[in-house]
Amino acid sequence: MIVTLIVVCEVAFWVLLAAGLALRYWAGMPRAGLAVLLCEPLLEVVLLVVTAVDLKNGAEPDWKHGLAAVYIGYSVALGHYTVRWVDVRVAHRFAGGPPPSTPKYGTARAVHEWKLAARWVLASVIALGLLQGAIWYVGDDGDTGSLIQWQQRMLFVIGLNVVIALTYTLFPKKEPARGGGVA
């Protein structure tokens, strides 16, 4: 049931995003579009409540509960970023908005990567906290091994994102030389 709910939440996220942007740009109803987009956090609340109820009703904690925690962490830390990322591209493509701008070179790119890494670290920390809460909630009576494995995966995600950002800092990509033909 938890996996089905995670899939439903993910599909609902994209449906709400599409509906919100359609209202905003095609229907000319930016307030209604914003209202639809603001409904997205309710998906995570529903998932959190259902997961907690499932554990309270005696379900053995397993990978599904860990996946729910990770999904909630991602949605909280990166959901707004994802919505904004898509919004800029839709505005450019269909509403005459400015082109998306992601820095490609040097310090600006390194700063961008560190900001993105910070979002992933936050997502992982939220997931770690939810997983630890589930471990404490289940207590010594249940097998929490799968939840501990998810915590280890989240530590790996933190490390991976820090390494990626560090790579852009230590080895910045240089902008190619322009023009410069010999006359």
Side-chain angles (χ1 to χ4, degrees):
M1 178 174 108
I2 298 294
V3 173
T4 303
L5 185 58
I6 292 169
V7 170
V8 167
C9 285
E10 181 66 13
V11 169
F13 173 85
W14 291 103
V15 168
L16 286 173
L17 180 58
L21 293 176
L23 285 169
R24 186 173 186 171
Y25 294 112
W26 291 297
M29 302 168 63
R31 288 184 147 192
L34 179 61
V36 169
L37 292 174
L38 289 175
C39 290
E40 289 184 347
L42 296 175
L43 299 171
E44 284 69 48
V45 172
V46 168
L47 181 58
L48 180 62
V49 168
V50 169
T51 302
V53 167
D54 191 43
L55 288 171
K56 181 169 178 38
N57 289 338
E60 192 67 32
D62 61 13
W63 66 272
K64 296 174 277 204
H65 299 97
L67 182 61
V70 171
Y71 180 81
I72 292 168
Y74 173 86
S75 295
V76 170
L78 287 130
H80 179 71
Y81 175 79
T82 303
V83 168
R84 202 172 61 232
W85 187 89
V86 172
D87 183 40
V88 166
R89 281 147 183 81
V90 169
H92 172 65
R93 174 102 173 153
F94 299 107
S101 62
T102 301
K104 294 183 178 152
Y105 307 106
T107 303
R109 180 58 187 233
V111 168
H112 171 77
E113 291 299 327
W114 279 109
K115 287 179 180 178
L116 197 55
R119 287 183 179 98
W120 277 104
V121 168
L122 178 60
S124 298
V125 167
I126 291 168
L128 283 165
L130 290 171
L131 290 162
Q132 189 59 47
I135 290 168
W136 289 335
Y137 186 70
V138 170
D140 295 333
D141 297 337
D143 178 20
T144 57
S146 64
L147 300 178
I148 293 169
Q149 287 176 345
W150 275 108
Q151 285 182 318
Q152 293 166 347
R153 290 179 185 127
M154 292 302 90
L155 292 173
F156 176 77
V157 168
I158 290 172
L160 180 63
N161 279 278
V162 168
V163 166
I164 290 169
L166 191 59
T167 301
Y168 276 95
T169 302
L170 297 176
F171 308 105
K173 188 174 179 183
K174 294 181 179 23
E175 191 169 356
R178 297 187 181 184
V182 178

